[in-house]
Amino acid sequence: MRPDTTEKWLKDQDSELSPREPVLPPQKEGPVAKFWSGFLQPKNLWRIYTFKGCNAGWWTFTRLLIPAWVAHYYVKYHLAGYGVF
């Protein structure tokens, strides 16, 4: 194909379908497929709250529980002696 023919062919593909390529009617979704298509939409409430919950859990673990455990370990085994607490 020559370049000008290729460009024309691409424009035709964008603008309309060939009669040999009919548009099929949309298939009806079953109840399970309908549930998952709605459930996985972006900006859905479950996604927002799951993200917030994961961030809060990660913050709690890294900035609260691990430092508390390190402090407890240090006090118990390095300052107090042989496991007095």
Side-chain angles (χ1 to χ4, degrees):
M1 290 178 136
R2 294 189 321 243
D4 56 348
T5 310
T6 305
E7 290 174 15
K8 184 178 180 192
W9 180 80
L10 286 172
K11 286 181 185 176
D12 289 343
Q13 293 300 310
D14 285 339
S15 63
E16 61 185 46
L17 288 174
S18 165
R20 295 181 307 247
E21 301 178 56
V23 176
L24 298 174
Q27 294 179 343
K28 290 187 177 181
E29 293 180 333
V32 175
K34 191 181 293 186
F35 168 77
W36 281 111
S37 66
F39 189 69
L40 297 175
Q41 292 297 319
K43 300 288 185 179
N44 207 346
L45 276 181
W46 81 271
R47 282 184 176 238
I48 294 169
Y49 285 117
T50 302
F51 179 76
K52 287 181 180 182
C54 288
N55 278 346
W58 183 251
W59 185 90
T60 302
F61 183 71
T62 58
R63 292 184 176 79
L64 197 66
L65 292 177
I66 290 177
W69 177 80
V70 169
H72 172 264
Y73 179 86
Y74 182 76
V75 168
K76 184 174 182 179
Y77 293 108
H78 295 278
L79 293 182
Y82 294 101
V84 175
F85 291 123

